[in-house]
Amino acid sequence: MKTIIGGSLASLSAATGAALKGIPSLLYLPAESRGSGFISPMIGGCRVDLGARSTELSLGASARLQDYRPGHARAHSARIYDFITRGLGVPLVELPQAQLSFRGRLAPDFLATLDLSSLRDLLSDDEQARMSRELESCVWTPDAPLELASLRSQGPLFTELFVRGRTEKLLPGGWRDVAAALRNKLWATMLYPSTLQGGLEGRADRAREPLRFFHPQGGFMGPVVERMLEIIERSPDVECRELSGDAVLSPAGSLRQRHGTVDVAPSPYIGLSLHQLLSLAGVTAELETMQLSVGWLEVDRRTVKVRAAFVNVYDAQNPVFRVGFGGHSPNPDRCVLSVEGRAGCDERRLRQGCIDGGILSEEGSGRWLRVQTVSMPKPSARNLRLIEEAKRRWSELGPNYLGSCLDLRYDTFNEQILQGLQAIESAEGLRSRSGGSGGPTHQGVLPSTVDETREVRAAGS
């Protein structure tokens, strides 16, 4: 029996995979922090996402799941699509391309499309000339603190206009020392000098296909988590037990909770939030956090000036960081904007930021459902040390880490889904080689061949 600890997307996808394949598993599930922030609560009578939420897919032929390596989720996009639509039974719809807002103008988002052909239109002639000169001495430098890496790879002007102003909204001052390898935690832009130069010359120097964004048919991401929990709870092969907030896992594998102590089998899968990871390991130090203001604005659809998966706002003076469109209003003529902005922003400033960013028209006042502060762990050196300290305590237990517990670079939606599915495929392989039978399998739910994945994708397109 495989033991899974945690309620992250990776833990839930592992338990769901076990349920669908009939592999006996034991899931310790916390009451809080299920689904890695991809739940969709009811706020003010509307279903909303906790910020901009979607999944990035490129539906080509999928590589074998056993060949997945963290950081290479794109090669397995078709399998993720198939798991959600066929395994979970949650239909996905494709969203319009992501956009960026700069100086009140909208253009295709750099990171999503790698199409910088609009860069010239966003800059003055003098800025174009300066950026081109700076790029002549730039060299791709990913292994450095973010500010230094950006200066060396993209030049001072691009760093000032498209990196510094935006990251300051999320982590004032502290963004400079974040490792460039963790730039995804700040949604920071890092591009090859040749890609930037191609943009200045009016061409798209793509190293890959543009990302395509999807979310469930209902308009919000919550059904993915809800369906996984439903499959897990109904499965005769997955036993769910509570993981209480005071639980501590000893180095020898003894799990102590308020309702008793049990021994955890060696090599468990651990996929928790970072706060839960430290608590479970008995590390009492607190994680450093960064904060955003997040608000949900219900507006008349006619007042929204852009159709996009989401909009990243780069202007330093605009307090808005990002705007998502995932949510559902009971009124078909209205939609919900998830507005993320600098910590401490009120409704007035967030709304004005949407107007200044070209996202919302002046008459789009709408109705604020709520504005609240959201805290997230900083991708800081201190936090990384705390995470490693927690993990060292279980070295003899030989755990397999998933999601944020594995590596902060590889805890995105797609990476977590693949880590969970791969964990169960590995467990099934071990069971087959040992002659175990487990429970009844559900053949075809988690396809393992390229041809089958292509067939499913064609049927679902």
Side-chain angles (χ1 to χ4, degrees), residues 95 246 306 347 411 458:
L95 303 172
D246 63 351
V306 58
E347 297 174 356
D411 70 342

Side-chain angles (χ1 to χ4, degrees), residues 111 140-142 146 149-150 153-154 158 163 180 183 188-192:
L111 289 181
W140 177 243
T141 312
L146 181 55
S150 183
S153 302
Q154 305 175 130
F158 188 89
V163 178
R183 59 188 179 273
T189 304
M190 276 283 287
L191 298 164
Y192 288 107

Side-chain angles (χ1 to χ4, degrees), residues 9 25 95 97 116 147 260 272 373 380 388 396 409 419:
L9 279 173
S25 300
L95 303 172
Q97 187 53 262
L116 279 84
E147 182 178 45
L272 293 156
T373 299
S380 64
E388 290 308 310
E396 294 183 7
R409 293 172 294 176
Q419 289 165 29

Side-chain angles (χ1 to χ4, degrees), residues 226-439:
E226 294 163 9
R227 182 59 178 149
M228 286 198 285
L229 289 169
E230 181 182 356
I231 290 172
I232 292 165
E233 291 166 359
R234 291 184 177 181
S235 170
D237 300 299
V238 180
E239 179 185 351
C240 280
R241 295 181 185 174
E242 177 191 358
L243 184 70
S244 61
D246 63 351
V248 175
L249 180 62
S250 74
S254 177
L255 180 63
R256 185 179 72 251
Q257 304 195 80
R258 59 173 173 263
H259 42 69
T261 300
V262 296
D263 290 330
V264 172
S267 303
Y269 290 94
I270 299 180
L272 293 156
S273 73
L274 295 183
H275 291 284
Q276 292 168 339
L277 176 72
L278 267 57
S279 177
L280 190 66
V283 176
T284 57
E286 292 291 328
L287 291 168
E288 297 175 327
T289 60
M290 53 189 182
Q291 296 182 328
L292 274 175
S293 292
V294 181
W296 295 274
L297 178 61
E298 184 189 25
V299 297
D300 190 312
R301 292 183 183 276
R302 293 171 295 182
T303 65
V304 180
K305 300 171 67 175
V306 58
R307 294 185 69 252
F310 54 85
V311 178
N312 285 321
V313 182
Y314 285 86
D315 302 279
Q317 70 277 12
N318 190 323
V320 172
F321 181 81
R322 181 172 60 175
V323 177
F325 304 90
H328 175 73
S329 168
N331 185 336
D333 296 326
R334 299 176 73 78
C335 62
V336 178
L337 275 58
S338 298
V339 186
E340 300 165 86
R342 187 179 287 118
C345 281
D346 58 16
E347 297 174 356
R348 182 190 62 79
R349 293 178 67 197
L350 290 176
R351 174 181 174 271
Q352 190 61 48
C354 291
I355 294 171
D356 294 342
I359 299 163
L360 195 64
S361 64
E362 286 282 356
E363 60 270 22
S365 57
R367 174 176 73 103
W368 283 100
L369 308 178
R370 182 188 298 172
V371 175
Q372 66 186 50
T373 299
V374 175
S375 297
M376 301 159 286
K378 282 184 185 179
S380 64
R382 179 181 179 276
N383 282 354
L384 294 177
R385 288 194 297 270
L386 290 175
I387 295 167
E388 290 308 310
E389 177 186 342
K391 292 162 69 172
R392 278 195 299 270
R393 300 191 179 195
W394 299 319
S395 58
E396 294 183 7
L397 189 59
N400 303 284
Y401 293 106
L402 304 171
S404 297
C405 299
L406 171 66
D407 195 308
L408 289 181
R409 293 172 294 176
Y410 312 132
D411 70 342
T412 62
F413 180 94
N414 290 358
E415 298 280 356
Q416 292 203 52
I417 294 292
L418 289 169
Q419 289 165 29
L421 296 183
Q422 187 183 58
I424 289 307
E425 182 161 293
S426 299
E428 185 183 37
L430 290 172
R431 182 181 62 161
S432 299
R433 289 194 294 274
S434 65
S437 59

Side-chain angles (χ1 to χ4, degrees), residues 154-169:
Q154 305 175 130
L157 183 58
F158 188 89
T159 299
E160 183 66 30
L161 297 179
F162 295 103
V163 178
R164 187 190 312 276
R166 189 155 184 267
T167 51
E168 280 284 338
K169 302 177 194 180

Side-chain angles (χ1 to χ4, degrees), residues 103-118:
R103 294 172 176 169
R105 299 184 60 184
L106 295 165
D109 183 70
F110 297 154
L111 289 181
T113 64
L114 283 189
D115 180 356
L116 279 84
S117 57
S118 61

